[in-house]
Amino acid sequence: MEIDILNELLTESVAKLFNPRAVYNFKKPNPVYDNYQKNSNNTSSTSISSMQSDQPKFEQPQQKLSNPPTIEQWVSIIGPQKLQESLNKLNIDLNKLTKRDLEMMSMDQLQNEKKRVKNELKFYDANFQSIFNRFPLRNEKEPMRPLYIYYKKLKQQIDKLTQNPGIQIPTYKQSTNNTQGEIQKRIEDLKKTRAELREKLNNFQNEFTTTHNRRIRFHKDIAPVEKEYKLYKEIKNEIQKLENILQKK
């Protein structure tokens, strides 16, 4: 009889464990014991949840820099950081920079930008020298290669403008808030530049006809003024676009 009652109680207890609506009365923790565990030097006070949050996330461990860093650490870690700092300071994104962006800059803007970039390159060398007591070698400047390429492009554009002074698109910042007067001024500046280009192209055509006793027929014929010819077409399209904007205002 006692065995049957015991079996019945055990069966009922087991059934409650699998009942999702069952309410269980767990034993409350002993505060004295908990405080003892918390203050004990031999027992961690970290909760299970915090221990789980502190578990490693299987990320690749970062390389620890020695003090002072080695050349390898400078080239692979510090150098790229210096590059990013310079780009942020210059406020440029080399991935989005195009040849057209450089062509839209005036001579003053190009020279000023070139000076700013050169200062950042010198700053990199000075930082390197302060640690290794010498200037960086060619391979040790590798992290700054993107900025050196940008510097070279600025120099090339300056050289082009020096060889062809006055032949460039006037600088202009277009926005939705431009007034009709600002747009009209932009159109007038572009037309003036277009007239200068047209005169140069006409002179080249007349000289070509006199020299070769024929008119220009092939692409290779305009090679000496191909840059001016492309610029002429760009300005023509820009004028048309701005005139369309004026008509909508």
Side-chain angles (χ1 to χ4, degrees):
M1 186 68 174
E2 292 179 353
I3 295 177
D4 294 337
I5 294 174
L6 181 59
N7 287 335
E8 183 178 352
L9 292 174
L10 289 173
T11 302
E12 182 179 357
S13 299
V14 172
K16 286 183 179 181
L17 292 175
F18 293 93
N19 184 359
R21 297 183 178 180
V23 179
Y24 307 102
N25 294 322
F26 293 100
K27 183 180 179 181
K28 296 182 179 180
N30 188 330
V32 177
Y33 178 73
D34 289 346
N35 290 334
Y36 170 78
Q37 282 190 317
K38 185 176 181 180
N39 297 326
S40 174
N41 294 328
N42 299 324
T43 307
S44 172
S45 62
T46 307
S47 64
I48 294 178
S49 60
S50 63
M51 288 175 62
Q52 290 175 343
S53 64
D54 292 337
Q55 292 299 314
K57 299 180 180 179
F58 301 101
E59 295 178 351
Q60 188 173 358
Q62 296 182 350
Q63 182 179 354
K64 293 184 178 180
L65 297 176
S66 57
N67 190 17
T70 63
I71 295 293
E72 291 75 14
Q73 290 173 335
W74 176 277
V75 173
S76 62
I77 300 176
I78 300 178
Q81 292 175 354
K82 295 296 182 183
L83 171 64
Q84 190 58 51
E85 290 173 4
S86 294
L87 294 178
N88 293 340
K89 186 176 178 180
L90 295 169
N91 193 27
I92 56 175
D93 185 349
L94 296 180
N95 294 325
K96 297 181 180 180
L97 191 70
T98 64
K99 181 180 178 181
R100 173 66 173 167
D101 294 326
L102 296 179
E103 292 176 346
M104 290 291 290
M105 297 172 67
S106 66
M107 176 64 80
D108 289 341
Q109 289 174 324
L110 287 167
Q111 290 177 339
N112 182 61
E113 184 73 352
K114 176 189 169 187
K115 182 178 180 181
R116 294 173 66 227
V117 173
K118 187 174 182 179
N119 287 338
E120 291 302 314
L121 295 174
K122 287 184 176 180
F123 185 71
Y124 176 89
D125 292 348
N127 273 271
F128 186 96
Q129 184 187 29
S130 66
I131 296 177
F132 301 104
N133 296 319
R134 64 174 176 81
F135 284 108
L137 302 176
R138 183 182 181 88
N139 64 305
E140 294 162 350
K141 295 183 179 183
E142 188 65 24
M144 301 295 283
R145 172 185 286 272
L147 208 54
Y148 273 103
I149 294 176
Y150 179 49
Y151 181 79
K152 182 179 180 180
K153 290 181 178 179
L154 289 170
K155 288 183 62 177
Q156 291 174 344
Q157 183 62 21
I158 290 174
D159 292 340
K160 287 182 180 180
L161 294 184
T162 302
Q163 296 172 5
N164 300 279
I167 306 300
Q168 58 177 308
I169 298 180
T171 56
Y172 174 70
K173 292 184 178 180
Q174 183 174 338
S175 69
T176 57
N177 297 324
N178 289 130
T179 64
Q180 290 186 354
E182 289 173 336
I183 296 176
Q184 187 62 47
K185 178 64 168 58
R186 168 64 170 169
I187 293 175
E188 292 174 0
D189 291 341
L190 287 173
K191 286 184 176 180
K192 181 180 179 181
T193 305
R194 183 182 64 178
E196 295 175 359
L197 285 168
R198 185 191 293 119
E199 181 180 1
K200 182 172 183 177
L201 293 173
N202 286 337
N203 291 338
F204 175 80
Q205 179 174 306
N206 294 334
E207 292 176 3
F208 183 91
T209 303
T210 302
T211 304
H212 299 278
N213 199 26
R214 66 174 176 85
R215 296 178 63 85
I216 294 175
R217 294 199 303 264
F218 308 106
H219 181 270
K220 65 180 181 178
D221 294 341
I222 66 170
V225 291
E226 184 175 5
K227 172 179 172 291
E228 287 78 5
Y229 179 72
K230 290 181 178 179
L231 190 57
Y232 179 85
K233 292 195 298 182
E234 291 176 3
I235 291 177
K236 184 178 179 181
N237 293 334
E238 182 73 8
I239 292 174
Q240 183 62 49
K241 183 173 65 175
L242 293 174
E243 288 178 342
N244 291 337
I245 294 176
L246 274 183
Q247 292 176 0
K248 295 178 182 180
K249 283 186 174 290

